[in-house]
Amino acid sequence: MKSKLSVVAHHVGVSEATVSRVLNDRPGVSTATRLAVLTALDVLGYERPTQLRGERARLIGLVLPELQNPIFPALAEVVGGALAQRGFTPLLCTRTAGLGEANHVGALLDQHVSGVVFAGGHCAQADASHEHFAQLRERGVPVVLLNASVEELGFPQVATDDAVAVAQAFAHLDTLGHRRIGLLVGPEDHVPSRRKLAAFTRQYALRGREPRPEWVAHTMFGLEGGHAAAERLLEAGVTGVVCASDPLALGVVRAARRAGLDVPGDLSVIGFDDSVFLNCTRPPLTTVRQPIEAIGRTAVSLLAGQIDGAPAAPGELLFEPELVVRGSTGPAPQRPA
């Protein structure tokens, strides 16, 4: 069986003697090599020597609510790549059965991470527990939040402008002649969904109208949630639906087809995110594209600044999305199907 020295040396690409110098806190090792050895210890699951436990590793926690929605793996790829370019190693954490965000944060603190990036999850849910965020603040761990989050958390935020996204989608359907436009969003305590609902109501008001209550539906994110909620929207007679995610939009398309309706002949559908392969769906999905490259890299830049000692300025940077018109939207039918 290989010794710890041998395994770490092979992982980092240095000699066992160099690893020994780092573990014994001896001089003669560059700062970069020293950090690489300490990071390897954490990644490989070895316990640091007592005298080195106070130092933070070059590890960054990346906490995602799920991986089924393609937007989250895409964000992970951007953030992970930007972190690697700065010499950090990302530790991916996703919510699984019996292991929630608080558990992940505890494990990340045990690994002496240098910072944490949250993309959705509890930070975006007003009614969720936020105690683990207070724990991170008490420990002085740098944190950046991706997408709209609960303001009281006080961490820097980077997000897509939900109001602009809804305005783009609504204007597109309005131009096509739709007057019975519905909105499909996530749970009622979901902050980005709240923002989309406020913007949706505002778009109607700007046109001197207001939406009927039954034209707005809340559901759990995912294909099945979109399908179930779409049935209620179809019964309400909407001719176009603006959705808070691409999986929700695909659920609406599926529900419309099972009801014998044509998309976009009888119902126009708009998603949100512009996930991979959406141009391959039938019909190709019109959606609002999130600028995930800019969002992810900006989040890493803000986090790296905090790690280097820059003050964490609470606030939010908003990025403008882009409407991508494909085949799931068309002129409003002369009468609701």
Side-chain angles (χ1 to χ4, degrees):
M1 182 179 295
K2 292 184 177 180
S3 67
K4 178 169 71 174
L5 286 179
S6 175
V7 174
V8 174
H10 178 75
H11 186 87
V12 179
V14 298
S15 67
E16 292 184 24
T18 299
V19 175
S20 179
R21 290 192 192 97
V22 174
L23 297 183
N24 291 290
D25 203 19
R26 292 175 181 171
V29 182
S30 69
T31 301
T33 300
R34 176 184 176 83
L35 289 173
V37 170
L38 293 176
T39 299
L41 287 173
D42 297 320
V43 170
L44 296 171
Y46 291 121
E47 189 172 331
R48 293 188 181 198
T50 304
Q51 71 273 19
L52 300 178
R53 290 178 189 171
E55 300 184 29
R56 285 192 180 146
R58 299 285 288 181
L59 300 174
I60 302 296
L62 176 55
V63 183
L64 306 176
E66 56 159 314
L67 291 177
Q68 291 184 343
N69 185 339
I71 194 65
F72 291 116
L75 271 172
E77 182 178 9
V78 172
V79 172
L83 288 171
Q85 289 177 355
R86 294 175 179 266
F88 293 102
T89 300
L91 295 179
L92 181 62
C93 304
T94 59
R95 188 162 47 197
T96 57
L99 190 63
E101 267 191 28
N103 301 104
H104 284 310
V105 168
L108 292 172
L109 289 173
D110 289 341
Q111 292 289 327
H112 306 281
V113 294
S114 295
V116 184
V117 176
F118 290 88
H122 285 201
C123 65
Q125 297 172 259
D127 297 340
S129 171
H130 300 129
E131 293 181 4
H132 49 289
F133 292 102
Q135 188 178 12
L136 288 166
R137 180 178 296 283
E138 291 170 2
R139 294 282 196 94
V141 178
V143 172
V144 174
L145 310 177
L146 283 175
N147 289 331
S149 304
V150 179
E151 293 182 3
E152 291 76 14
L153 298 179
F155 293 116
Q157 300 178 32
V158 184
T160 298
D161 194 323
D162 290 301
V164 172
V166 170
Q168 291 176 346
F170 196 102
H172 176 58
L173 292 176
D174 187 65
T175 301
L176 290 170
H178 293 270
R179 297 297 177 265
R180 301 167 68 89
I181 301 172
L183 178 71
L184 178 55
V185 290
E188 294 186 14
D189 73 326
H190 185 242
V191 176
S193 293
R194 287 181 174 181
R195 291 186 178 184
K196 289 181 175 69
L197 176 56
F200 177 76
T201 305
R202 191 179 309 119
Q203 290 302 313
Y204 265 106
L206 290 173
R207 293 162 174 80
R209 297 179 281 133
E210 63 180 35
R212 294 181 181 177
E214 60 267 26
W215 293 353
V216 175
H218 292 273
T219 188
M220 298 303 294
F221 282 103
L223 188 70
E224 298 301 331
H227 186 142
E231 294 176 348
R232 301 193 298 271
L233 292 172
L234 291 173
E235 289 176 0
V238 299
T239 63
V241 183
V242 178
C243 303
S245 77
D246 292 331
L248 286 178
L250 293 177
V252 173
V253 172
R254 187 174 72 176
R257 283 181 177 157
R258 291 190 178 179
L261 303 179
D262 177 70
V263 176
D266 299 313
L267 181 73
S268 289
V269 182
I270 299 181
F272 179 77
D273 286 336
D274 194 27
S275 308
V276 66
F277 301 134
L278 283 187
N279 58 339
C280 301
T281 60
R282 188 171 63 88
L285 187 67
T286 296
T287 189
V288 180
R289 176 182 295 157
Q290 288 205 67
I292 61 171
E293 185 77 24
I295 288 175
R297 291 192 171 277
T298 299
V300 171
S301 178
L302 289 174
L303 191 72
Q306 293 182 62
I307 293 171
D308 291 338
E316 185 176 34
L317 294 176
L318 292 177
F319 285 78
E320 186 165 327
E322 175 189 2
L323 178 69
V324 182
V325 178
R326 297 192 180 102
S328 65
T329 49
Q334 293 186 354
R335 62 178 60 187

